């Protein structure tokens, strides 16, 4: 009897482990769920990821004036700001550069994961007309928001960046990188086909896919915010393919 | 011993046949002018007659009912308006319940009937088509309350089947009529339906296209529309908790911040639920009210996945772990499965999975785009939105879960989407842009009797509440004990 019970328990434990292993093995690839052993070198974060905020205020000055750069990092053991160098994990510094400067901060956590943040300080030549220096959206390379930032469009029901839109996005990235504006808003829009419930999700996916592409082009992720308007804000109210093609878009605005 | 049940059955049959005959003769002789005498006669008749009466109530055929106008009681001038509302609301409720055949009032005898004492049964028996039941009643104001007294009279027997008195605040006239209708439906269908007249609808409404929407509530027939959420955000896709005490919805409070918000319908307070500060929406309560499923952007992949969590957001699990879009989760009536929409194959389709994410399968192999599923209360059907391949418009369809057969419910009437079942499983609410802007409509689950329920602004994503407890009698069906 006892042996029988023991065998029974053994068999079931074995089966349970087997099933558990199968589930783990077949499950989707989510490395973060099962924490790796300390000896392993899987680049999965064990601790909380670092965070970094970097702000320059005001974001535009005239040559000779100064601005204050403020940063604050969480879960970080080291913070470096280019072109200043290693700094404490939080603090502030008065800066007065000769030309427009992008301050790039990098916070590194004990687990070697990093967070990046950038802050752009635009420096204009002193002028009698004090308004022109600040209101210009022209960047150093001559790229201009109004002139050069373009919407991109999507195929029906898709959110992949189309090959013909990649150059547009690269140019947009150049504007965003050079721009003094703090945040770029990426709006995802859909045509009227499909339910609004689905289009809310599709619009979000279009906005985040666009953001992913811009990040690869060097635009800092935390300077971009995404929003889905689904089908609620069509550019063209028509009910035909020409209108729908216009409405399936990612639109860029600044905050 | 073994033969005894057979004998009993035979005995009952013989007794039943003989009694049916004698009952018919008695009816022919009986003067129907005295309801009291009739009642006594019925009371004296033996038990099998009661059984026979129960069987006579058709559950599969239409019961034919007449409802002469309810009468005002007392000299309060406000009662005249109220009784008009009651007559309109009650007639529509009974008609839309879809259980009754209701010949036009133009066939009726020209006589006001305020209670069972003033009916002449002969007149009603002589009608062609002859009603099975006549519903009569009156409305009065007592103190600050409106009081409805209603009776269901058996036209053939010439006797009262049951009566009910319902009270409400003087601003709740429609509600009083709805409640009477539900009790009537419950009794006359012998409990086959509880009636949906006292149920409510939640929906998103904005004064203009593209504007921020607040969640609104209205009666099931479009009456009494009123704002519910006061968030100054764009709110969409409400869902009722099984006890109707909470409503969850997606709420975009600012650029980049769309979250699930849960608000109590009892006191309007916001219930605790975590904010993800990215994209979350399309919530759906589990049938036991303890869990909530929703669509959310997974931070690591930017995919939209189906998540499930406790109603306070604890114990959250990603059920789909995809690289694609998964949204519109809805639970099967016992909570074992979930239907949702996914584009994982490149085309959006409806899928079913067990509520732990296992056993995933595609349920519609028709091409085109299938969307926004809602599982019927009996579990046998799923209503959804579908635009066939090369189709111009999307329409509401119903799919039989067991066979995969689909039936089209809306035809040639603009785009129709977001169906939601009434708790009786016989009605659906949905949104349609057939008049230009989107509005809320209801219909029977075979697509007939489509009714427009909203008339101003832009109205989307309706959700039908569950049943309310309106104090239904413990034992449904006629003849029931007189309930007062």
């Amino acid at each position: 009897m006892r042996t029988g019970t023991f065998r029974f328990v053994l068999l079931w434990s074995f089966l349970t482990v087997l099933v558990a292993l199968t589930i783990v093995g077949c499950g989707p690839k989510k490395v973060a769920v099962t924490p790796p052993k300390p000896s392993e070198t899987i680049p999965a974060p064990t601790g909380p990821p670092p965070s970094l905020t970097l702000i320059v205020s005001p974001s535009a000055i005239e040559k000779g004036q100064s601005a204050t750069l403020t940063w604050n990092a969480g879960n970080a053991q080291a913070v470096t700001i280019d072109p200043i160098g290693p700094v404490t994990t939080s603090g502030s510094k008065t800066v007065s550069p000769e030309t427009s400067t992008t301050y790039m901060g990098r916070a590194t956590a004990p687990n070697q994961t990093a967070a990046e943040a950038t802050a752009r300080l635009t420096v204009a030549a002193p002028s009698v007309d004090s308004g022109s220096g600040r209101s210009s959206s022209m960047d150093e390379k001559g790229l201009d928001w109004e002139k050069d930032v373009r919407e991109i469009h999507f195929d029906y029901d898709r959110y992949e960046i189309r090959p013909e839109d990649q150059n547009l996005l690269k140019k947009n990235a150049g504007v965003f990188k050079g721009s003094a504006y703090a945040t770029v808003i990426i709006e995802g829009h859909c045509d009227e086909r499909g339910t609004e419930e689905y289009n809310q999700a599709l619009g979000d996916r279009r906005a985040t896919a666009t953001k992913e592409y811009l990040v690869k082009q060097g635009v800092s992720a935390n300077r971009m915010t995404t929003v889905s308007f689904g089908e609620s804000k069509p550019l063209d109210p028509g009910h035909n393919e020409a209108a729908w093609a216009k409405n399936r878009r990612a639109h860029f605005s600044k905050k | 011993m073994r033969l005894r049940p057979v004998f009993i059955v035979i005995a009952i049959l013989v007794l039943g046949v003989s009694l049916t005959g004698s009952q018919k003769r008695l009816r022919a002789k009986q003067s129907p002018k005295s309801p009291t005498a009739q009642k006594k006669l019925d009371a004296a008749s033996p038990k099998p007659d009661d059984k026979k009466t129960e069987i006579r109530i058709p559950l599969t055929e239409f019961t034919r009912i007449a409802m002469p106008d309810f009468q005002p009681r007392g000299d309060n001038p406000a009662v005249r308006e109220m009784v008009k509302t009651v007559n309109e609301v009650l007639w529509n409720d009974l008609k839309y319940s879809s259980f009754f055949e209701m010949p036009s009032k133009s066939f009726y005898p020209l006589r006001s009937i305020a209670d069972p004492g003033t009916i002449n049964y002969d007149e009603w028996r002589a009608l062609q088509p002859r009603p099975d039941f006549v519903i009569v009643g009156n409305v009065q104001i007592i103190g600050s309350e409106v009081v409805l007294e209603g009776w269901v009279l058996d036209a053939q027997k010439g006797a009262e089947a049951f009566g009910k008195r319902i009270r409400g605040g003087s601003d709740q006239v429609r509600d009083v009529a709805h409640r009477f209708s539900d009790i009537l439906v419950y009794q006359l269908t012998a409990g086959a339906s509880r009636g949906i007249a006292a149920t409510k609808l939640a929906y998103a409404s904005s004064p203009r296209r593209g504007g921020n929407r607040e969640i609104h509530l209205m009666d099931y027939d479009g009456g009494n529309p009123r704002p519910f959420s006061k968030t100054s955000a764009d709110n969409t896709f409400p869902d009722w908790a099984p006890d109707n005490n909470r409503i969850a919805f997606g709420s975009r409070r600012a650029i980049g911040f769309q979250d699930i918000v849960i608000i109590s319908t009892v006191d309007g307070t916001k219930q605790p639920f975590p904010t993800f500060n990215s994209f979350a929406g399309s919530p759906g309560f589990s049938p036991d009210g303890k869990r909530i499923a929703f669509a959310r952007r997974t931070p690591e992949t930017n995919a939209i996945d189906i998540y499930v969590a406790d109603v306070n957001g604890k114990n959250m699990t990603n059920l789909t772990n995809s690289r694609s879009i998964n949204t519109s989760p809805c639970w099967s009536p016992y909570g074992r499965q979930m239907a949702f929409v996914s584009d994982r194959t490149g085309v959006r389709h409806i899928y079913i999975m067990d509520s732990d994410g296992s056993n995933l399968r595609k349920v519609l192999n028709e091409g085109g785009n299938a969307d926004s599923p809602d599982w019927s209360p009996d579990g046998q059907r799923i209503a959804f939105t579908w635009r066939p391949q090369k189709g111009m418009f999307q329409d509401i369809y119903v799919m039989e879960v067991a066979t995969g057969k689909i039936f089209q419910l809306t035809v040639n009437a603009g785009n129709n989407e977001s169906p939601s079942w009434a708790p009786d499983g016989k009605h659906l609410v949905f949104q349609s842009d057939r008049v230009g802007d989107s509005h809320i409509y209801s219909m029977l689950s075979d697509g007939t009797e489509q009714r427009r329920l909203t008339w101003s602004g832009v109205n989307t994503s309706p959700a039908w509440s569950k049943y309310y407890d309106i104090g239904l009698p413990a034992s449904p069906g006629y003849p029931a004990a007189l309930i007062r």
Side-chain angles (χ1 to χ4, degrees):
Chain A
M1 269 305 264
R2 284 180 67 116
T3 329
T5 317
F6 180 67
R7 264 188 205 159
F8 182 77
V9 169
L10 200 68
L11 183 68
W12 275 106
S13 326
F14 176 69
L15 278 176
T16 315
V17 169
L18 197 68
V19 168
L21 282 175
T22 315
I23 290 167
V24 170
C26 297
K29 291 167 211 154
K30 36 176 189 177
V31 188
V33 174
T34 43
K37 286 173 218 145
S39 61
E40 284 180 303
T41 49
I42 297 170
T46 46
S51 63
L52 179 65
T53 53
L54 183 64
I55 298 162
V56 63
S57 176
S59 59
I61 54 170
E62 283 181 12
K63 195 171 174 180
Q65 294 177 325
S66 61
T68 309
L69 189 67
T70 314
W71 64 92
N72 186 22
N75 307 318
Q77 65 176 9
V79 178
T80 312
I81 297 176
D82 187 40
I84 295 169
V87 293
T88 53
T89 52
S90 70
S92 65
K93 186 177 167 62
T94 305
V95 290
S96 183
E98 296 284 310
T99 56
S100 295
T101 308
T102 300
Y103 294 94
M104 208 160 136
R106 184 182 168 88
T108 317
N111 63 15
Q112 295 309 308
T113 55
E116 288 184 348
T118 56
R120 172 82 179 167
L121 178 60
T122 312
V123 181
S127 68
V128 192
D129 178 12
S130 62
S132 67
R134 274 175 191 231
S135 64
S136 170
S137 57
M138 194 77 77
D139 99 341
E140 295 154 329
K141 293 174 200 159
L143 288 172
D144 180 73
W145 186 296
E146 276 71 30
K147 197 164 91 298
D148 293 311
V149 173
R150 289 271 180 275
E151 288 185 340
I152 59 162
H153 295 87
F154 296 86
D155 290 336
Y156 174 62
D157 234 7
R158 307 310 313 159
Y159 43 82
E160 292 83 11
I161 307 300
R162 304 191 300 191
E164 62 264 43
D165 282 344
Q166 291 183 359
N167 281 335
L168 287 179
L169 264 191
K170 281 175 186 154
K171 201 168 186 184
N172 286 354
V175 180
F176 302 153
K177 280 191 282 186
S179 166
Y181 299 101
T183 304
V184 177
I185 299 165
I186 307 169
E187 301 172 5
H189 295 269
C190 307
D191 69 34
E192 62 180 355
R193 295 172 297 170
T195 63
E196 198 197 336
E197 196 165 20
Y198 188 82
N199 282 335
Q200 264 192 7
L202 180 60
D204 190 76
R205 202 63 198 82
R206 283 178 177 163
T208 51
T210 307
K211 180 179 169 181
E212 284 164 17
Y213 192 91
L214 289 169
V215 167
K216 281 187 199 139
Q217 299 306 313
V219 183
S220 167
N222 46 23
R223 283 188 60 211
M224 293 183 281
T225 307
T226 58
V227 63
S228 170
F229 285 116
E231 62 186 85
S232 65
K233 294 182 192 298
L235 262 188
D236 186 329
H239 305 287
N240 49 56
E241 184 44 57
W244 294 331
K246 274 186 231 169
N247 294 335
R248 297 189 297 263
R249 68 202 193 275
H251 178 81
F252 305 92
S253 59
K254 51 206 174 188
K255 189 158 79 180
Chain B
M1 278 292 272
R2 273 181 205 162
L3 287 174
R4 195 173 278 172
V6 180
F7 283 136
I8 290 171
V9 169
I10 290 169
I12 287 173
L13 279 176
V14 170
L15 197 68
V17 168
S18 62
L19 281 170
T20 315
S22 62
Q23 184 66 23
K24 267 181 190 157
R25 284 194 296 280
L26 273 172
R27 277 220 178 119
K29 276 187 240 164
Q30 176 71 28
S31 157
K33 273 181 188 162
S34 157
T36 345
Q38 180 71 47
K39 200 184 271 176
K40 267 181 196 151
L41 177 87
D42 287 331
S45 48
K47 283 261 184 257
D49 184 55
D50 286 2
K51 280 218 176 86
K52 182 184 160 285
T53 316
E54 263 182 341
I55 291 161
R56 195 171 61 76
I57 294 190
L59 294 179
T60 50
E61 293 171 24
F62 287 106
T63 302
R64 192 180 296 140
I65 58 174
M67 194 198 98
D69 281 348
F70 280 35
Q71 297 298 311
R73 242 188 204 163
D75 43 17
N76 190 329
V79 174
R80 298 215 158 263
E81 271 311 304
M82 287 181 180
V83 84
K84 209 175 136 195
T85 307
V86 165
N87 282 324
E88 262 174 40
V89 170
L90 196 51
W91 178 270
N92 282 328
D93 285 353
L94 294 174
K95 189 129 190 140
Y96 208 37
S97 77
S98 79
F99 281 105
F100 307 114
E101 187 185 322
M102 296 169 71
S104 158
K105 289 189 182 186
S106 60
F107 289 97
Y108 293 0
L110 291 171
R111 201 188 303 272
S112 302
I113 308 170
D115 55 55
T118 47
I119 187 171
N120 178 347
Y121 283 107
D122 273 347
E123 288 180 333
W124 292 90
R125 268 196 285 261
L127 283 188
Q128 284 299 339
R130 185 168 63 180
D132 299 306
F133 296 99
V134 184
I135 292 139
V136 303
N138 60 72
V139 178
Q140 57 191 306
I141 293 178
I142 301 177
S144 61
E145 280 189 325
V146 54
V147 178
L148 178 152
E149 284 182 323
W151 290 267
V152 173
L153 308 177
D154 187 323
Q156 301 219 24
K157 271 163 91 182
E160 184 182 327
F162 64 89
K164 181 81 183 169
R165 182 180 291 125
I166 297 178
R167 302 159 175 278
S170 56
D171 57 343
Q172 296 175 322
V173 183
R174 298 181 70 90
D175 191 49
V176 164
H178 286 322
R179 272 150 59 201
F180 181 66
S181 166
D182 280 355
I183 288 166
L184 213 147
V185 168
Y186 187 64
Q187 294 281 46
L188 288 183
T189 62
S193 173
R194 290 177 61 175
I196 51 161
T199 58
K200 312 267 180 250
L201 305 172
Y203 60 104
S205 180
S206 167
R208 60 186 173 80
R209 205 187 278 210
N212 273 358
R213 287 162 285 188
E214 294 288 1
I215 303 301
H216 283 56
L217 304 182
M218 63 184 172
D219 295 352
Y220 92 110
D221 58 358
N224 202 14
R226 57 208 181 270
F228 170 68
S229 68
K230 285 132 191 162
T231 55
S232 305
D234 189 37
N235 302 314
T236 42
F237 306 107
D239 189 59
W240 298 79
D243 58 4
N244 287 339
N245 284 342
R246 284 155 294 159
I247 291 177
F249 52 90
S251 181
R252 193 183 65 231
R253 64 182 188 279
I255 297 284
F257 299 94
Q258 174 161 332
D259 278 304
I260 307 288
V261 169
I262 306 173
I263 293 182
S264 159
T265 54
V266 181
D267 55 15
T269 53
K270 206 169 151 182
Q271 308 295 299
F273 198 79
T275 51
F276 307 116
N277 296 336
S278 70
F279 176 85
S282 300
F285 284 99
S286 66
D288 64 5
K290 291 178 180 154
R291 306 273 281 165
I292 190 162
F294 53 98
R296 185 199 154 192
R297 187 201 303 154
T298 300
E300 297 80 20
T301 60
N302 284 339
I304 310 290
D305 283 310
I306 307 288
Y307 284 75
V308 65
D310 296 346
V311 281
N312 59 9
K314 302 252 164 66
N315 298 317
M316 188 171 67
T317 319
N318 182 344
L319 293 182
T320 48
N321 288 303
S322 72
R323 292 250 157 215
S324 53
I325 295 175
N326 303 271
T327 186
S328 296
C330 74
W331 301 74
S332 65
Y334 295 102
R336 283 197 291 266
Q337 298 177 89
M338 251 183 238
F340 65 103
V341 178
S342 176
D343 77 332
R344 57 189 63 208
T345 59
V347 183
R348 81 181 74 133
H349 270 296
I350 293 176
Y351 292 77
I352 291 179
M353 60 183 171
D354 290 357
S355 51
D356 61 359
S358 63
N359 264 329
L360 180 80
R361 58 213 182 272
K362 195 160 97 178
V363 290
L364 188 74
N365 275 312
E366 296 283 343
N369 294 130
D371 221 331
S372 66
D374 192 43
W375 215 306
S376 72
D378 66 2
Q380 294 183 4
R381 287 183 268 180
I382 290 175
F384 63 102
T385 308
W386 189 43
R387 192 175 63 80
Q389 202 100 46
K390 292 179 182 157
M392 271 295 284
F393 295 104
Q394 49 194 23
D395 279 300
I396 310 290
Y397 289 75
V398 158
M399 175 179 50
E400 205 173 53
V401 178
T403 61
K405 268 173 109 173
I406 63 171
F407 305 90
Q408 184 170 4
L409 302 188
T410 57
V411 185
N412 286 336
N415 286 295
N416 303 278
E417 63 183 75
S418 236
S420 170
W421 289 93
D424 69 348
K426 290 181 164 52
H427 297 76
L428 284 159
V429 66
F430 60 101
Q431 73 179 65
S432 175
D433 67 359
R434 60 186 66 178
V435 296
D437 280 329
S438 175
H439 282 285
I440 309 298
Y441 294 75
S442 66
M443 63 181 166
L444 297 186
S445 56
D446 63 353
T448 60
E449 300 272 347
Q450 299 193 10
R451 293 185 174 191
R452 183 174 170 185
L453 305 179
T454 56
W455 300 90
S456 66
V458 176
N459 306 284
T460 60
S461 53
W464 210 307
S465 78
K466 311 300 187 282
Y467 286 119
Y468 280 86
D469 181 11
I470 56 159
L472 290 172
S475 55
Y478 164 73
L482 291 190
I483 38 157
R484 296 273 184 176

